[in-house]
Amino acid sequence: MSSRVLITGGAGFIGSHLCDRFIAEGNEVVCMDNFVTGSPDNIAHLIGNPKFKFIQYNVTDFIYVEGKIDAVLHFASPASPIDYLKLPIQTLKVGSLGTHKALGFAKAKGARFLLASTSEVYGDPLMHPQREEYWGNVNPIGVRGVYDEAKRFSEAMTMAYHRYHSLDTRIVRIFNTFGPRMRLDDGRVLPAFMKQALLGEDLTAFGDGTQTRSFCYVDDLVDGIVRLLRSNHTEPVNIGNPDEITILQFAEEIVKLTGSKSNISFMPLPEDDPKVRQPDITKARQILGWEPKVPRIEGLKKTIGYFREKLGLK
Ligand code: UDP
């Protein structure tokens, strides 16, 4: 049966891929975004589709949408370290006030609510790989705290609505994800390395490059999120690709894949940069029957064309 969903942050990287997925399945999508970090380009192809409605709006204000809404997917937030360092107050506000408004809206509509949470709730983790039971190691007053604590608050608020208002809720903890529609200048490692490799500039590895991350292709992530939404599991679930790599190896991989002649140079490590990160996806495997299908190399190959085009190299 088709449904009508509200996606906050729907013009962002992940939000816009979610819009595509729901539209492709014949559902109606109401997409809400204020373009602080999202972009009209990400949803341009959906404008004019009768099943797609766009509302330019800041979700920290009272949310109202006419008609039935079956599910609210709350994805509005700056999400790259550079973005939330530049927008600390907006990040805290969308995570707190915005989550409260989105939850209140879901409650008013009798809709299911799914929160986009993050591996950042684990901070600089002392447990490896990270299981959902781990409470994390977050510096509340550090520069990354604005995002980490906003998302931790969002989780707490979501569980409170679940427990005290019996709202039907889901929480996905999203690990590093990549694919087309990432912003070239969002400061994340993949757009930075892609741009540098394609332009023949030095790839800037922060610290000594021994810190690790585990990168998931966006189509796999979207599939995990949709499965979680349709499950009946109300506790947080990690969605990510457990294939872990050091940042230095990742730089070398991108140089090789792009056929670039770039060198790698080293820059200071940002404050509170997590040393390791790898999702334990046992729960997603058991509860959702989900695991990533696209190997990192395949995903990178699918993504290079997008970055070439963005850089005007085609
Ligand atoms: N990083 C890097 N060079 C860059 C950008 C990021 O070495 O130009 C590192 C960063 O210090 C971190 C990792 O790559 O250890 C992933 O950073 P990103 O900003 O993509 O997201 P995070 O996983 O830290 O949220």
Side-chain angles (χ1 to χ4, degrees):
M1 204 185 72
S2 77
S3 58
R4 186 163 186 256
V5 301
L6 169 68
I7 303 178
T8 75
F13 162 49
I14 295 175
S16 64
H17 284 280
L18 279 168
C19 290
D20 284 345
R21 168 73 185 253
F22 281 97
I23 291 285
E25 286 180 350
N27 302 292
E28 281 181 58
V29 171
V30 180
C31 167
M32 205 171 256
D33 207 298
N34 62 355
F35 296 136
V36 165
T37 56
S39 164
D41 292 350
N42 292 340
I43 50 164
H45 59 289
L46 295 171
I47 302 292
N49 183 323
K51 297 206 161 175
F52 182 78
K53 181 183 170 85
F54 175 70
I55 303 173
Q56 187 166 347
Y57 198 70
N58 183 342
V59 296
T60 61
D61 294 328
F62 184 87
I63 300 172
Y64 176 74
V65 177
E66 251 173 49
K68 74 151 191 168
I69 291 285
D70 303 296
V72 175
L73 292 93
H74 183 42
F75 277 70
S77 177
S80 84
I82 293 272
D83 286 344
Y84 52 76
L85 295 190
K86 271 195 229 147
L87 304 164
I89 312 227
Q90 289 93 327
T91 303
L92 281 160
K93 282 177 75 177
V94 75
S96 54
L97 306 178
T99 302
H100 184 219
K101 297 288 183 289
L103 280 162
F105 175 77
K107 179 169 157 262
K109 292 284 183 187
R112 188 170 287 184
F113 179 86
L114 182 142
L115 172 70
S117 186
T118 167
S119 53
E120 282 285 325
V121 300
Y122 303 122
D124 188 4
L126 304 176
M127 172 191 269
H128 192 69
Q130 292 78 54
R131 281 210 322 259
E132 289 86 348
E133 290 71 26
Y134 179 49
W135 291 353
N137 178 38
V138 170
N139 174 3
I141 57 161
V143 287
R144 293 176 87 106
V146 296
Y147 184 63
D148 303 9
E149 295 297 4
K151 289 294 186 182
R152 289 167 69 96
F153 175 90
S154 301
E155 290 199 6
M157 195 60 147
T158 301
M159 290 311 291
Y161 266 69
H162 176 66
R163 292 193 181 108
Y164 297 103
H165 290 310
S166 303
L167 191 72
D168 193 14
T169 57
R170 310 285 181 268
I171 298 174
V172 56
R173 291 191 180 146
I174 299 171
F175 283 65
N176 292 70
T177 301
F178 71 97
R181 300 190 194 150
M182 292 185 95
R183 260 186 22 246
L184 262 180
D185 64 346
D186 82 356
R188 284 183 171 123
V189 66
L190 182 117
F193 283 179
M194 278 281 183
K195 181 177 171 188
Q196 292 159 343
L198 291 170
L199 295 180
E201 299 167 356
D202 277 12
L203 275 69
T204 51
F206 295 166
D208 59 7
T210 55
Q211 71 273 31
T212 68
R213 293 294 184 273
S214 309
F215 297 93
C216 184
Y217 188 64
V218 65
D219 289 355
D220 279 333
L221 180 89
V222 163
D223 193 53
I225 291 169
V226 170
R227 282 178 192 236
L228 175 62
L229 179 71
R230 291 173 185 161
S231 76
N232 58 11
H233 194 76
T234 55
E235 303 278 312
V237 178
N238 291 338
I239 298 285
N241 189 324
D243 186 3
E244 188 180 3
I245 185 171
T246 70
I247 291 304
L248 195 54
Q249 288 169 331
F250 193 49
E252 287 161 358
E253 191 169 276
I254 289 179
V255 168
K256 202 168 149 203
L257 273 175
T258 51
S260 168
K261 294 192 172 51
S262 291
N263 296 311
I264 296 167
S265 61
F266 294 88
M267 308 262 286
L269 190 67
E271 196 180 313
D272 294 334
D273 198 281
K275 285 178 265 316
V276 290
R277 184 180 290 155
Q278 187 203 129
D280 182 322
I281 58 164
T282 309
K283 214 169 158 182
R285 280 198 175 103
Q286 285 172 353
I287 292 169
L288 311 177
W290 176 89
E291 60 181 7
K293 293 199 185 84
V294 184
R296 186 181 58 250
I297 300 275
E298 292 312 310
L300 288 173
K301 286 184 187 159
K302 286 170 186 268
T303 309
I304 290 174
Y306 162 79
F307 282 107
R308 289 188 66 85
E309 202 178 302
K310 278 271 152 191
L311 290 164
L313 296 175
K314 262 191 178 162

